Amino acid sequence: MEELITLIKYAFLGALQGFTEPIPISSSGHLVLAQELFGISISENDFSFEVLMNFASLLAVVLIYRKDLIRLMENGRKYVTKRDSVYKNDFMFIVYLIIGTIPAGVVGLLFEDRISATFRGIAPIGVALLVTGLALWLIRNLKGRKSDRNLTIRDALIVGCAQAIALIPGISRSGATIVAAMGIGMKRETALRYSFLLYIPVSLGTILIKINDIDFGDLLIPYIIAFILSLIFSYFSLKWFMGIMERGNLKYFAYYCFAIGCLILFIT
C-alpha cells in the first residue's frame, strides 16, 4: 500500500510540474504549494527529482521546436563556413540565445542557494505570483513589431535578466521572459519562440552541472512514471499555450496568478 501511495504521489507531482512548466504560472511555485498545502512530501532525493523533471520538460520543448533547432544549427554552420549573408539572421539568433543565457547562468551559479533560502515558504510564492500576474496584465494587449531579424544584443540581455529573476520561486520563467520580450516590442510568436529556445541552454546547463548528484535510491519506478508524465504534460501544455499566445489571451493567466497569490496570502 505504501508503495502505491508513493507512486501516486510522484505521478501527481510529475504531471503537475509538466503541466505548469511551459505556462506562465511558475512550476516551481506550484510544486512547493502542492507539498505544503496537500501535505505531500518527497524524499531526500528531491534534488534528483527536480533535475529529472526539468529534463522531461526540456525534451518536450526540443520535440516541439525541433524544426527551428535544426534550421538554426544548419544555417548557423553554413554562415560560419560560407559567410553567406543569407544565413546571418539565424546565426545571430544563436548568438542572442547565448547572450540571453548568461545572466541566469551567472546568477544561478552565484546566488541560487541564497535565493532559495531567502524565499523559502509559501508566503513569498504568493507575493511572487501576484507580481507575475501584474506583469502579465500589463503586457496583455501588446502585439509588437520585432521579428527574429530585428533582435539586438540589448534585447537578449533584457530577456536574459528576466530569466534570471525567475530563479525566485513563484516567478514564472516563461512568464518573465515573455513579458520582457513583449515589453521591448517582440511579436508574440517571436517572444514565445525566443523564450522557449532560451530555456534549452539554461536547462541543459543545469542538468549537466547537477547530473553527478542524481541518486534514484529505491525510487526508480516512481521517478520513471513521474518523468513520463512530466514529458507528456509538458508537451501538450506547451502546445496549448502556443495557441493561447496566438490568440493573445495572456490575461487569463494574470487572473489565475492574482487568485492563487491572494489565496496563499490569505491562508498564511
Side-chain angles (χ1 to χ4, degrees):
M1 187 64 179
E2 184 178 347
E3 289 80 5
L4 178 60
I5 293 175
T6 299
L7 192 62
I8 293 173
K9 176 176 64 178
Y10 277 90
F12 171 74
L13 292 176
L16 178 66
Q17 193 280 337
F19 178 72
T20 56
E21 178 62 46
I23 59 180
I25 61 173
S26 177
S27 61
S28 61
H30 277 73
L31 283 178
V32 173
L33 290 177
Q35 294 176 63
E36 292 283 342
L37 298 180
F38 299 110
I40 299 175
S41 61
I42 55 181
S43 74
E44 295 179 356
N45 293 328
D46 58 351
F47 183 76
S48 302
F49 179 80
E50 178 184 345
V51 174
L52 193 64
M53 296 308 98
N54 187 41
F55 181 52
S57 294
L58 171 63
L59 286 181
V61 172
V62 170
L63 283 172
I64 290 175
Y65 284 100
R66 62 189 182 281
K67 292 182 180 178
D68 293 278
L69 290 168
I70 292 171
R71 188 195 74 248
L72 287 171
M73 289 187 291
E74 289 183 349
N75 291 351
R77 177 184 58 80
K78 289 177 181 177
Y79 180 76
V80 171
T81 57
K82 300 180 179 180
R83 291 294 175 179
D84 190 331
S85 59
V86 173
Y87 307 114
K88 184 176 181 180
N89 288 323
D90 283 335
F91 173 78
M92 291 306 301
F93 195 87
I94 295 173
V95 172
Y96 297 142
L97 288 174
I98 294 171
I99 293 172
T101 301
I102 294 173
V106 172
V107 173
L109 285 173
L110 297 179
F111 304 110
E112 184 176 12
D113 292 339
R114 185 176 300 178
I115 290 172
S116 298
T118 301
F119 295 95
R120 186 184 302 275
I122 62 172
I125 291 176
V127 174
L129 283 170
L130 291 178
V131 172
T132 297
L134 178 60
L136 291 170
W137 176 259
L138 291 174
I139 58 93
R140 67 193 185 282
N141 293 323
L142 296 181
K143 294 183 179 179
R145 297 182 177 179
K146 289 184 178 180
S147 65
D148 296 4
R149 297 174 178 270
N150 308 123
L151 303 185
T152 65
I153 292 176
R154 174 179 171 273
D155 296 335
L157 285 173
I158 290 174
V159 180
C161 288
Q163 184 166 243
I165 293 173
L167 290 170
I168 298 174
I171 298 293
S172 165
R173 192 214 65 85
S174 63
T177 52
I178 288 172
V179 164
M182 293 180 64
I184 57 178
M186 289 189 199
K187 295 179 179 179
R188 291 170 184 164
E189 179 185 353
T190 301
L192 184 69
R193 180 165 54 252
Y194 186 77
S195 170
F196 281 100
L197 291 180
L198 191 63
Y199 171 75
I200 293 174
V202 169
S203 178
L204 185 60
T206 301
I207 292 168
L208 291 175
I209 290 172
K210 299 178 178 180
I211 194 169
N212 289 331
D213 298 320
I214 293 179
D215 177 17
F216 296 124
D218 58 352
L219 295 169
L220 179 60
I221 300 302
Y223 275 22
I224 291 175
I225 298 298
F227 177 86
I228 293 172
L229 288 174
S230 182
L231 173 60
I232 293 171
F233 275 80
S234 292
Y235 182 90
F236 287 105
S237 179
L238 179 50
K239 282 286 190 180
W240 174 61
F241 183 49
M242 292 169 76
I244 290 176
M245 279 290 292
E246 186 177 350
R247 295 187 295 272
N249 289 335
L250 284 173
K251 62 184 179 181
Y252 297 112
F253 292 109
Y255 297 152
Y256 176 83
C257 289
F258 288 146
I260 298 300
C262 290
L263 178 62
I264 290 171
L265 294 180
F266 178 75
I267 65 177
T268 55

